[in-house]
Amino acid sequence: AATSAPHGPASLVAGYRLQRLIGQGAQSEVWLAMRADHAQPLALKLVALAQGAGAEAQQAAFAAATQAARRLHHQGIATLHDAGIAGATGWLAMELVPGTDLVRYTHPARLLPDAAALRLAGRIADALAHAHAQGIVHRDLKPANVLVDWAGDQVKLVDFGLARVLGAAQTGTGLVLGTPSYLAPEQLAGAPPTPAGDLYALGVTLFELLAGRLPHEASSMGELLRQVAQEPAPDLRTLRPDVPPALAALVGRLLAKAPAERPADAAVVAAELRHLGRRIAGADTP
């Protein structure tokens, strides 16, 4: 099992001085950090890795994930500057993105205007298209892994491939990776992650941004997994009758149970989202 990696302010990790804790998860911490050869502060993510049995495999998975993430150079993806392992802690020095994640905009009282939600989703799709062209799948796309800075007009995806690392520690096998509500049915069944799985997760995220709830909700994990695996996602118009049919249809295709029934690729989805967003904003005639 993974162990915690507590670090106090002003401590050092791989030459980075930790200044302030800015985020925390079950197996990770994110710190505002500085390094002498960087003029700007960075986000230093610390991931608690396994010790003992399974440690070598998880460290290899961490190294593979970070090596792949270094190949991503896109305005919609937070830049990974450096990464490594210090003892039982994996670390990633990333671009510091101001603002907040998309979780706050999935609550019914804080939903964005539809046109704004579609612009965000389109930019996420653009970033996914770049990653998929490099042969890299996110594996854990969800609102918590999308950062938005309104003042700087930035939308950035983070944590490419880390679900593979953390999932291996949680399940012991790495078979099911990512956050269950956003995992495509074929991933829950143990199929290898593919771009189609990322598109499913984008569909869940877009559904949340528009409806203020997940397409599948249940009181137990078992029931949630059953719904994702077996039950069709609800038509968005049952919750939002005002949504244009073309938008509800796109969300429905993204949430299709069979990967082959989802859109062909993320670039196609990005173009369709931009078109729908312009129509909703009134820039296009019906």
Side-chain angles (χ1 to χ4, degrees):
T3 58
S4 61
H7 294 273
S11 64
L12 289 171
V13 175
Y16 291 88
R17 186 171 297 279
L18 309 184
Q19 297 187 332
R20 177 168 54 89
L21 184 67
I22 57 177
Q24 192 164 20
Q27 292 175 263
S28 63
E29 299 174 346
V30 181
W31 288 80
L32 179 71
M34 292 292 297
R35 185 167 172 166
D37 55 354
H38 283 269
Q40 300 296 325
L42 299 169
L44 191 72
K45 182 157 192 164
L46 307 179
V47 180
L49 301 177
Q51 300 185 67
E56 185 175 345
Q58 197 187 28
Q59 289 185 13
F62 181 86
T66 55
Q67 183 177 10
R70 290 182 202 232
R71 304 204 311 265
L72 299 174
H73 301 284
H74 188 271
Q75 62 183 2
I77 299 173
T79 300
L80 177 62
H81 295 288
D82 199 4
I85 297 173
T89 300
W91 58 270
L92 306 93
M94 305 177 293
E95 171 187 5
L96 180 65
V97 182
T100 185
D101 61 43
L102 285 188
V103 173
R104 71 179 287 124
Y105 302 113
T106 63
H107 299 292
R110 292 178 174 172
L111 296 184
L112 297 166
D114 290 351
L118 293 189
R119 284 195 299 272
L120 287 176
R123 292 171 73 169
I124 295 170
D126 280 331
L128 289 176
H130 170 78
H132 295 166
Q134 308 298 314
I136 299 172
V137 178
H138 191 290
R139 299 171 180 249
D140 194 22
L141 177 64
K142 57 186 177 182
N145 284 336
V146 181
L147 305 179
V148 57
D149 171 24
W150 298 110
D153 190 28
Q154 296 186 93
V155 180
K156 303 267 189 179
L157 274 63
V158 299
D159 284 2
F160 268 87
L162 279 191
R164 174 185 177 187
V165 179
L166 300 181
Q170 293 166 344
T171 68
T173 65
L175 183 61
V176 176
L177 307 168
T179 307
S181 293
Y182 302 88
L183 280 177
E186 68 272 13
Q187 288 178 268
L188 290 178
T194 66
D198 280 351
L199 292 182
Y200 181 91
L202 176 60
V204 177
T205 299
L206 183 54
F207 191 103
E208 263 195 297
L209 291 173
L210 294 169
R213 53 152 284 183
L214 290 161
H216 296 293
E217 295 183 338
S219 58
S220 70
M221 180 63 72
E223 173 60 15
L224 174 63
L225 297 179
R226 187 197 68 78
Q227 288 184 20
V228 173
Q230 301 177 12
E231 292 190 6
D235 188 323
L236 183 59
R237 288 171 295 178
T238 62
L239 300 168
R240 287 281 314 276
D242 58 314
V243 164
L247 175 53
L250 173 59
V251 174
R253 296 201 311 275
L254 288 167
L255 294 176
K257 296 298 181 192
E261 295 177 4
R262 295 174 205 146
D265 58 56
V268 170
V269 174
E272 192 166 350
L273 287 167
R274 283 192 291 269
H275 173 68
L276 290 169
R278 288 194 299 267
R279 292 192 64 175
I280 289 174
D284 287 353
T285 56

